[in-house]
Amino acid sequence: MKIGIISYGAYIPKYRVTTEEIAGVWGKNAEEIARGLFVSEKSVPGLDEDTITIAHEASRQALDRVAFNPRHVDALFVGSESHPYAVKPSSVTVAKALGVGTDYYTADLEFACKAGSAGMQIVSSFVSSKKARTGLAIGADTAQGKPGDALEYTAAAGGAAFLIGSDDYEHIATIDDYVSYTSDTPDFWRSKHGKYPHHAERFTGKPAYFKHIFGATTYYLEKNNYSPSDFDSVIFHMPNGKFPRTVARALGFTEDQLSDSLVVDFIGNTYSGSSLLGLARVLDSAKPGDRILMTSYGSGSGSDTFSFTVTDAIEKMQTGVTVNDYIEDKIYLSYGEYAKHVGTVN
Amino acid sequence: MKKSVVAEWRRYEDRYRLMGSVCLLCKENFFPRVTHCVRCGSSDVRDRLFLREGEIYSFSKIHVSPEQFQKQVPYYVALIKLDNGPVISSQIVDVGSEKLFVGMRVYAVFRKVSGTGEQALTYGIKFRLTKK
Ligand SMILES: [Zn+2]
């Protein structure tokens, strides 16, 4: 049985704070930072937004785009590192607000920035095993960086949702295969009661992000006998704008294959939403027959690689709100307003 | 203002999804849900899920708010005429430089309503300006 993406939705909050505004507060050189990170502004949640509301908005779009009856959603997984509660699932509130009913498989997932793609694997596997006909896999975050920390320039808010289903439903893209590459790596963590994450500085690069993305992607290509030139578009997790460009080049992909996915340049790193938002943006302009490869990365550490083949049905889908519409619709905040939005001042 | 978690839970269907009532006798719509028709007195009422789109019927900008919403001032509250439902009151969120006007198109979004610190969070429908 073929499994595939039936529909997708994305959401980015309207608020932005610029690298210049943050750097000004901490006496840093904004231009240098923006050049190093390839990030000149990031998205910030509204005062009444959190992972639950972002996950809901992305999911609702995914359902509305194909007028999908929420009662037919058989599984729903929300991946995030900023679930509003320590104990009480986000997923049930999202499902209740969507009108999913009571007969669905669900859980909240956490694996730093790859919890969203982990959800896509779980839903795909539920569908493959015929325990579910459809399911929503959602990655959403309102990421926090400690004031003054390097992460403050990139930790952003946003999310995307993918409605995955069996071939009883029309697919806009089939899911060819998926793999994971995982190890125990202490590059980034947040303690049980900690508000902000800690990261092992330079350790976050080579033995963490690059090793796992490289490992998962090369394993996937070898397993399926693909080469980089088989793909029209590629998406790598985007902790900043520099890392995905570097890893793409190292793996033999061109800037042209990568460019559509780079939401990070405009909104920063949306953690569990990052690679999924990249995929949504690629699908916004994909053509029938396009081949897409995606590799996520979550600290701790692991990477998930998928590939997709776009079908003719994509053309019917390209009418609604796009990721670019959200990128362009924005309100700039001062640092003080930003601090209020993310709760560093109350 | 302290609210019961259970009292909130009983209203999830209304608050989360714009579930109201319609009177089968006189066709009047109600939000939130009612057990009998306030207009004609009939108890022949049924649940009705209203469409998530509508237009601004009237609005005002709040500068002095109840304590729980102080962080959000100034903000807009409006009466909204739902496309297939009654006029309801709600907050209009994410208003930037746009000028609000009567008849302006809006759509429903799901947002946090209250809850901080150790409190249970409450969520509900608010409205946002329609872009296209
Ligand atoms: Zn009546």
Side-chain angles (χ1 to χ4, degrees), chain B residues 23 26 37 40:
Chain B
C23 170
C26 77
C37 178
C40 75

Side-chain angles (χ1 to χ4, degrees), chain A residues 232-235 238 254-264 266 277-287 290 323-324 327:
Chain A
D232 298 279
S233 295
V234 63
I235 302 116
M238 296 164 261
T254 64
E255 177 87 25
D256 204 40
Q257 286 168 295
L258 183 71
S259 60
D260 282 348
S261 74
L262 295 171
V263 290
V264 63
F266 312 102
L277 269 172
L279 175 59
R281 188 158 183 258
V282 166
L283 288 172
D284 279 347
S285 61
K287 289 173 197 64
D290 276 4
V323 174
N324 279 348
I327 287 173

